Amino acid sequence: MLRPEPGNAATTARIVALGCQALSLPLFAVRPLAWTPPNPAAHDALLLTSANTLRHGGAALTTLRALPVLAVGQATAAAARAAGFRVLLTGDTGVAPLLQHAATHQIARVLHLGGRERTRTDSALLTATIAVYASETLPILPTQRAQLEGSVALLHSARAARRLAELITDRARLRIAALSPAVRDAAGSGWDAAIVARAPDDAALIAAAITLAD
């Protein structure tokens, strides 16, 4: 598992529960950032692209609970509801389609709370973007890289895909399972095999990885 905690432990537990072996090797560690919440009246909705925003946003998030949430996936939507937010829309194919759908709900001013390291999204609906957490790169030793040989790497993000591509010199000895086509493309070519999950969620990604392992 290459994703940061606590997602790493959750994915590992799901794999072990299925009777498979799991190697935990987080590539990043997430930490909160200091931030100042804007006036909620200046926005129509809150875009959340990761549950990490809810985990690390802190008490300042409570000032924005009046805004309906546009969640990029089911896990983020569940975290938003648990934090007391009302989820208006939940996407399953990325940010751009989610924002297009939001426009049909008379949403014109969207505030995005997310990570410092993020994929840029061009949309007239995005009126402000604030980083509330950072995903710091962790050092990976040569001995740790060697442990990946012959395994299937689960890639939950494009950033993780790019980081893995930097670390691995002999890609023919490693297979990858990606959460989406964009994540797979970010990893580049030359892998022993590459597969995309049928749906952009952890369970589907694990299922895809198991097919490669078999």
Side-chain angles (χ1 to χ4, degrees):
M1 297 321 98
L2 306 178
R3 66 191 308 204
E5 297 294 1
N8 194 292
T11 300
T12 298
R14 292 186 183 105
I15 292 173
V16 172
L18 293 172
C20 301
Q21 292 183 332
L23 172 64
S24 178
L25 184 61
L27 300 182
F28 309 100
V30 180
R31 66 174 180 86
L33 297 174
W35 65 287
T36 301
N39 182 355
H43 306 281
D44 301 321
L46 180 62
L47 172 65
L48 299 180
T49 50
S50 172
N52 281 323
T53 297
L54 287 311
R55 296 188 188 105
H56 300 283
L61 287 174
T62 60
T63 65
L64 301 173
R65 280 185 181 155
L67 293 175
V69 165
L70 312 176
V72 78
Q74 294 295 338
T76 303
R81 293 188 185 97
F85 288 88
R86 177 177 68 88
V87 177
L88 175 64
L89 296 173
T90 301
D92 58 7
T93 56
V95 174
L98 178 61
L99 291 176
Q100 290 174 359
H101 192 188
T104 67
H105 288 257
Q106 298 183 332
I107 299 294
R109 304 170 302 166
V110 177
L111 167 64
H112 179 201
L113 298 185
R116 184 183 63 191
E117 300 81 12
R118 60 183 176 270
T119 301
R120 179 175 175 175
T121 300
D122 293 321
S123 172
L125 270 63
L126 284 178
T127 50
T129 300
I130 300 176
V132 303
Y133 68 89
S135 183
E136 306 283 7
T137 302
L138 293 175
I140 304 298
L141 300 174
T143 52
Q144 293 175 303
R145 292 201 303 266
Q147 292 176 2
L148 295 174
E149 185 175 315
S151 66
V152 179
L154 279 71
L155 300 175
H156 287 79
S157 69
R159 187 167 180 235
R162 290 189 293 268
R163 175 65 173 151
L164 182 67
E166 293 172 356
L167 290 170
I168 303 301
T169 55
D170 189 356
R171 298 182 184 181
R173 296 179 179 272
L174 183 63
R175 300 178 179 184
I176 61 171
L179 193 68
S180 70
V183 172
R184 177 199 57 200
D185 294 345
S189 59
W191 306 98
D192 181 41
I195 193 172
V196 175
R198 292 181 178 272
D201 59 56
D202 199 37
L205 181 58
I206 291 171
I210 289 176
T211 63
L212 282 185
D214 292 340

